[in-house]
Structures are given as C-alpha cells and as structure tokens.
Amino acid sequence: MPTASQPRPEDIQTITTTAELAAFCDLAKAQPYVTLDTEFLRERTYYSKLCLIQAALPPASGAKAEGGRAVLIDPIVGTDLSLEPLYDLFRHKATVKVFHAARQDLEIFYHDAGVLPDPLFDTQIAAMVCGFGEQVGYETLVKKIARQPLDKSSRFTDWSHRPLSDAQAAYALADVTHLRAIYEFLDGQLQKTGRAPWLQEEVAVLLNPETYITRPEEAWERVRTRSGSPRFLAVVRELARFRETYAQERDIPRSRVFKDDALVELASTKPLTEADLAKSRLLLRDARRGDIANGILAAVKAGLEAKDLPRPAPEEPGRPGNAALADLLRVLLKAKSDETGVAPRLIASAAELDAIASGARDLPALTGWRAEVFGHDALRLASGEIALSAVGGAVRVVPVGG
C-alpha cells in the first residue's frame, strides 16, 4: 500500500516531452529544494546508460500550492525529450538539488552535457557528518528518519525495459519522496550543529569536473601489481592506456577488453606475436586476434621501448616509533569520532594515519574541518605536545608538561 509519502500508481506522472519537463522544472525553480535520483544500466557499456530520472518537490504543507509533486522523467519512451530544462534547473542557484550518494548520478549528467547540479546536497555524506555511520544506505535513513518501510523488490530490475510496472514506478519514486524528509532532517541537524560548512567541503569534490574524468594515461595507477620494476610498470601503463582508450571509444566495459589479472599477466610475459598471445591463460579468446590483439602487441612494444619509465610511489620516510605513533593516531581518531559522532573513515583513512606517522603533512585529514576535529591534535600528538589518557571508558587528550 502506498504511504503518505508515496503517490498511488494511478497518480504517477511520467514526463516524456520537453514541454512537460520544462513545466515541471519551472515549478521546481520556485521551491527551496528538489529531490532527485536516477536509474541506469552499466553492465554492458563503459558509460552509464540513463534509463529514468525521478524528481520530487517539497511537501504541499511547505506553503507552496504546487509542492509535493513527484514525477518520473523517461528518456527511453521520450525519444525526442531534451534534458536541457533539467540542466537549466541544475544551474538555478536558488533551488538546492538533493541526491543520495550522488557520484554515479552526477557522472551521467556530466558526461551527457558537462553540467553538475549546484547547489548540491548529498544525504549520504550529510548522514556521515551527522553520526549515522560510514556509507549509510538510503534504506537505513528511510527507516530511521522518515520512519517508513521501503520495498526493495525492484532493486535489481532491468530499467531499460518498457513499459515499467506499477511496482517499478513506485519503487523509483520512493527514492525521492522519502528523500524529502531525510533532507529536511539532516539539513536541520547541520544548521543546528554548525556543520553545514563541513558538508560543503565534501560536496566540492562532487562538483569538481575532475572527479568524473578518466584519462587513459593515468589508468595504470589503478592496476594492482606486485612488482615495482620500472620496465614492468611501463608495460602496465601502455596496456592500461590502450584498454581504457579502446573501451571509451567503443563504449564497452574495460573488462570486456581484458581484465586486470590478464593485464598483469601480459605485462609479465610481454608477448610480441599473436602466437605468444595464444599462450595466455587469462586473456579472452576474442582478445587474441583482431584489433584488441594488435593493440596489446603495440602496447607491449611501446612499454618495452619507453624512455620515460614510471616508478612506484616512494616509501614514506621511516623513523623510529612510526608503527607505535600510527597506533596512537588510530586511538585518537576513534576518540574524536566518538566525541563528534562523525564516521572515522570520513575524517581520516588508515593510509593517512600511517602517512602522518611517517612525516607527511599535505593530507586532507590535516585541512579544513578535519583539521579542527582531528588534524590539529594529530600533529600535536606526533610532535609530543600531547599524550592520550584512558579515563574510565573514554580516551582524553592530555597536554605534556614543559
């Protein structure tokens, strides 16, 4: 049964024309915020295929007569539907665009039109700032904040298939109708605690176009290898560059070209002919001939002949007591997380703690709101200005005399 936050199937409006979308977006521009979500497929493509957009305006009780309206925007049925009115809404500064876990949604819009919604509010990040734990899911927030059940039976549906069922439509709209109560609660908490600027620091990453750009020449940095040999890494770099370029140009998943384990195998065996490729244990059959095979052989050759050899990231400078200091920093982080209610991983990663213990200082954990919460005391602990004391079940910072 639909709840008060969910329209009945017969009341759901599906937008399929540019005029309908423009009319809805004009209404949204008169509202303080609009909640949004997307449904997409990416299993068979490099870039996500947009299948549906959901949007909802604030509840009618919010003093706007047209408030509370929720719609589905269907780019599959609406073959002539232009999303430009939506992108114009994204540029409209007076209306906050609210998403949950927005990164993949925003990547779609950025690659489609080079547009990112501003101002932006991400409820997953806001929830971590407000003490709901790490990577909190939408379903958890619906239960804890909106206090509504959430039917997830359509979670793994094929969103490219038409017509949508009533269950699919209701599921899709639930992702934006409940989001209104979640946004209003979290925004109120951020204003009350003075942490709204913390959220804005995090959202700035989502609004940076660099977040959504994958450069083929940098793809090798994501490949896990055990060898730090510069020549080996040069072959890895060229193979990863070829794979990324090939996948992007043909809009296919990079794994359809060859997977990481095959890439590492190729970098180790360094095949020079198609006969060599045929000996690979991990390479897909289609990759042993044709364009992919030619690309692999050219990449291996380029790596073997490269003069600008990449090098592994240098080890952090060691010093006595680093391991012990890293352990103390973990205790400090846990204490600060408990004190502020902010998820530890949002404050500092394990790698950052090790880096601080080894002398690194150009780190996110030591800047902005993180410095206020943790970074300043982390540096004081590293320099011996403070110590940690266990009092009952709590850990306290204690100044060192002198």
Side-chain angles (χ1 to χ4, degrees):
M1 291 290 292
T3 69
S5 299
Q6 296 173 281
R8 297 169 300 177
E10 60 268 26
D11 295 332
I12 294 175
Q13 179 191 3
T14 300
I15 289 175
T16 60
T17 70
T18 305
E20 290 172 330
L21 180 58
F24 175 81
C25 290
D26 284 344
L27 291 176
K29 289 177 184 177
Q31 300 290 337
Y33 71 86
V34 57
T35 57
L36 296 136
D37 188 36
T38 69
E39 305 297 343
F40 56 86
L41 295 178
R42 198 172 189 171
E43 289 79 6
R44 298 183 294 274
T45 58
Y46 183 92
Y47 299 104
S48 296
K49 178 184 177 183
L50 181 62
C51 297
L52 195 68
I53 305 168
Q54 306 96 281
L57 303 182
S61 59
K64 295 290 184 179
E66 292 288 346
R69 187 172 171 190
V71 300
L72 302 177
I73 303 164
D74 193 337
I76 293 179
V77 173
T79 54
D80 295 325
L81 172 65
S82 168
L83 295 182
E84 184 52 37
L86 180 66
Y87 296 144
D88 191 48
L89 172 61
F90 281 4
R91 302 181 190 100
H92 186 66
K93 298 289 187 179
T95 301
V96 178
K97 276 64 71 173
V98 182
F99 289 80
H100 180 82
R103 191 189 186 287
Q104 288 185 297
D105 302 308
L106 269 54
E107 183 179 24
I108 294 171
F109 298 127
Y110 180 78
H111 283 296
D112 181 57
V115 177
L116 294 169
D118 186 21
L120 170 71
F121 190 104
D122 188 314
T123 55
Q124 184 179 70
I125 299 174
M128 287 194 286
V129 171
C130 291
F132 282 84
E134 297 183 1
Q135 301 296 317
V136 61
Y138 180 68
E139 185 175 5
T140 298
L141 295 182
V142 170
K143 290 179 179 177
K144 291 187 175 182
I145 297 176
R147 300 190 181 282
Q148 295 285 350
L150 193 63
D151 179 9
K152 303 297 286 185
S153 60
S154 297
R155 178 182 300 178
F156 301 111
T157 192
D158 181 354
W159 290 103
S160 65
H161 181 74
R162 293 296 182 273
L164 295 175
S165 68
D166 289 346
Q168 286 177 305
Y171 168 89
L173 278 184
D175 281 345
V176 289
T177 51
H178 295 313
L179 194 56
R180 297 177 296 201
I182 294 170
Y183 163 69
E184 292 181 2
F185 175 84
L186 292 175
D187 185 52
Q189 289 295 106
L190 291 173
Q191 300 301 329
K192 186 186 304 182
T193 59
R195 294 181 181 181
W198 298 12
L199 176 66
Q200 293 312 308
E201 282 188 40
E202 303 308 301
V203 165
V205 176
L206 295 175
L207 293 179
N208 184 350
E210 287 294 318
T211 301
Y212 311 100
I213 297 174
T214 302
R215 295 182 173 85
E217 62 270 20
E218 298 171 355
W220 72 278
E221 297 172 0
R222 299 192 304 272
V223 179
R224 293 185 178 181
T225 64
R226 293 183 178 180
S227 172
S229 161
R231 182 60 64 189
F232 170 82
L233 292 177
V235 179
V236 169
R237 178 185 63 191
E238 297 307 318
L239 285 167
R241 187 206 305 265
F242 161 70
R243 180 178 66 173
E244 205 73 25
T245 301
Y246 189 93
Q248 288 180 353
E249 289 176 349
R250 289 159 179 81
D251 193 20
I252 60 174
R254 63 176 67 88
S255 62
R256 285 265 302 276
V257 187
F258 46 82
K259 297 181 180 180
D260 279 4
D261 55 358
L263 188 155
V264 173
E265 180 195 46
L266 292 168
S268 299
T269 59
K270 302 176 181 61
L272 300 177
T273 66
E274 285 195 20
D276 294 335
L277 287 180
K279 301 174 185 176
S280 170
R281 296 181 301 108
L282 302 173
L283 199 61
L284 297 173
R285 181 176 300 176
D286 289 345
R288 301 182 186 194
R289 59 181 181 272
D291 291 343
I292 297 179
N294 292 335
I296 290 173
L297 296 176
V300 170
K301 184 174 186 292
L304 291 175
E305 296 176 353
K307 299 292 191 291
D308 57 327
L309 300 181
R311 297 190 178 277
E315 296 289 336
E316 293 288 353
R319 67 182 188 209
N322 273 358
L325 177 56
D327 287 341
L328 286 175
L329 288 168
R330 285 170 171 76
V331 174
L332 177 65
L333 176 61
K334 178 64 166 59
K336 294 295 186 179
S337 173
D338 291 344
E339 178 184 325
T340 60
V342 179
R345 192 167 61 178
L346 188 62
I347 301 173
S349 67
E352 285 180 301
L353 300 182
D354 292 336
I356 294 171
S358 296
R361 296 295 179 261
D362 184 17
L363 300 165
L366 302 178
T367 62
W369 69 266
R370 292 177 173 85
E372 299 175 27
V373 170
F374 169 76
H376 294 324
D377 278 345
L379 293 179
R380 292 171 66 202
L381 182 64
S383 63
E385 297 175 36
I386 60 173
L388 301 179
S389 172
V391 180
V395 173
R396 294 182 181 176
V397 171
V398 180
V400 175

